[in-house]
């Protein structure tokens, strides 16, 4: 099977599994809802008003990780991968189609989430808030970072072959290591996969990374995870 039919088959899986559709919906709903909650009482004295608008991203990011991890981990349950590889024997081609099928809906939902969050936040802050240029940069960064985190989780899930194991590692990492330990580690924390991409959601930032270089660092993390996942898939039995 060539790449296009494999991609079509993987996209059908995405849109027919309730858990995956639910994860995509959760990205949008949780991000916008929590951002609207914070933006409803704007703090005009906070110099980083853009991150106030995109505060809900922290919750949407968890949903994006769940989406990427579940999409891949489901292939390792009940012999599903053997059936998939019977139709697409080339494992690298199949994994590329799987990653693309995760990236496309994640990017679409992520960009929609970013735009909706920016509009809600701008409405709450009015003229005293960030400029439309900053809000749109945040919306684009939001969409890209959500996509990258979904792909990062997909690569880790391919290595671990378990959605539970992947979420058990990545979610505590986001909630504990990244925020608690990361704040005490100085500039090193900026290079963590979640924190690097989030620089695009801030009005101001310190350190060596900017909005786009931060997203590039997150992209490197996602690429490394996918390469590790592809290597593992090639080495292990289905």
């Amino acid at each position: 099977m060539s790449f296009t039919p494999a991609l079509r088959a993987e996209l059908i899986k995405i849109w027919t599994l309730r858990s995956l559709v639910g994860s995509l919906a959760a990205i949008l709903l949780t991000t916008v809802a929590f951002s609207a909650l914070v933006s409803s009482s704007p703090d005009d004295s906070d110099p980083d008003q853009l991150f106030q608008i995109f505060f809900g991203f922290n919750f949407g990011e968890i949903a994006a990780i769940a989406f990427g991890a579940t999409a891949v981990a489901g292939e390792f349950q009940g012999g599903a991968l053997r059936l998939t590889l019977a139709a697409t024997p080339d494992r690298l081609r199949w994994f590329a189609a799987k990653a693309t099928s995760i990236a496309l809906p994640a990017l679409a939902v992520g960009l929609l989430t970013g735009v909706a969050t920016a509009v809600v936040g701008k409405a709450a802050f009015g003229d005293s808030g960030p400029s439309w240029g900053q809000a749109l940069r945040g919306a684009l960064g939001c969409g890209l970072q959500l996509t990258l985190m979904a792909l990062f989780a997909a690569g880790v899930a391919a290595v671990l072959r378990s959605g539970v194991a992947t979420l058990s590692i990545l979610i505590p990492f986001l909630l504990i290591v990244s925020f608690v330990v990361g704040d005490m580690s100085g500039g090193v924390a900026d290079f963590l996969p979640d924190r690097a991409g989030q620089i695009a959601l801030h009005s101001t930032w310190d350190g060596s990374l900017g909005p786009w270089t931060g997203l590039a660092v997150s992209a490197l993390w996602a690429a490394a995870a996918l390469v590790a996942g592809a290597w593992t898939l090639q080495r292990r039995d289905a």
Side-chain angles (χ1 to χ4, degrees):
M1 183 185 293
S2 63
F3 179 80
T4 301
L7 174 59
R8 186 180 300 113
E10 294 304 321
L11 286 172
I12 290 173
K13 291 180 185 179
I14 296 290
W15 295 115
T16 53
L17 290 175
R18 293 181 181 178
S19 60
L20 298 180
V21 174
S23 296
L24 288 171
I27 294 173
L28 174 63
L29 296 177
T30 57
T31 303
V32 175
F34 281 100
S35 291
L37 182 63
V38 172
S39 297
S40 63
S41 301
D43 182 2
D44 294 334
S45 64
D46 188 343
D48 197 357
Q49 293 177 339
L50 185 63
F51 193 68
Q52 282 189 62
I53 290 177
F54 285 96
F55 176 81
F57 174 87
N58 296 301
F59 302 93
E61 188 175 43
I62 294 174
I65 287 173
F67 169 67
T70 304
V72 171
E75 297 288 347
F76 298 101
Q77 298 177 358
L81 183 59
R82 287 192 293 271
L83 295 176
T84 297
L85 293 179
T88 311
D90 188 328
R91 297 189 179 199
L92 292 181
R93 181 180 298 166
W94 167 76
F95 192 60
K98 171 64 78 174
T100 305
S101 74
I102 292 170
L104 292 177
L107 180 60
V109 173
L111 290 175
L112 176 61
T113 298
V115 171
T117 303
V119 170
V120 170
K122 282 292 293 179
F125 274 90
D127 295 335
S128 64
S131 67
W132 272 112
Q134 287 182 317
L136 291 177
R137 185 247 292 166
L140 178 58
C142 176
L144 293 175
Q145 179 65 1
L146 287 170
T147 304
L148 291 172
M149 293 307 295
L151 289 173
F152 178 66
V156 174
V159 173
L160 300 179
R161 295 194 165 201
S162 169
V164 173
T166 301
L167 296 178
S168 297
I169 292 173
L170 293 186
I171 291 180
F173 176 84
L174 292 177
L175 297 178
I176 300 174
V177 176
S178 183
F179 282 94
V180 178
V181 178
D183 287 339
M184 298 185 295
S185 64
V188 175
D190 291 342
F191 291 87
L192 296 175
D194 61 312
R195 291 171 68 100
Q198 285 192 34
I199 295 174
L201 308 180
H202 290 269
S203 301
T204 59
W205 56 89
D206 298 319
S208 58
L209 296 178
W212 309 120
T213 52
L215 285 168
V217 170
S218 290
L220 289 175
W221 278 97
L226 290 173
V227 168
W231 182 83
T232 302
L233 186 68
Q234 286 282 80
R235 300 275 296 181
R236 293 181 182 174
D237 293 335

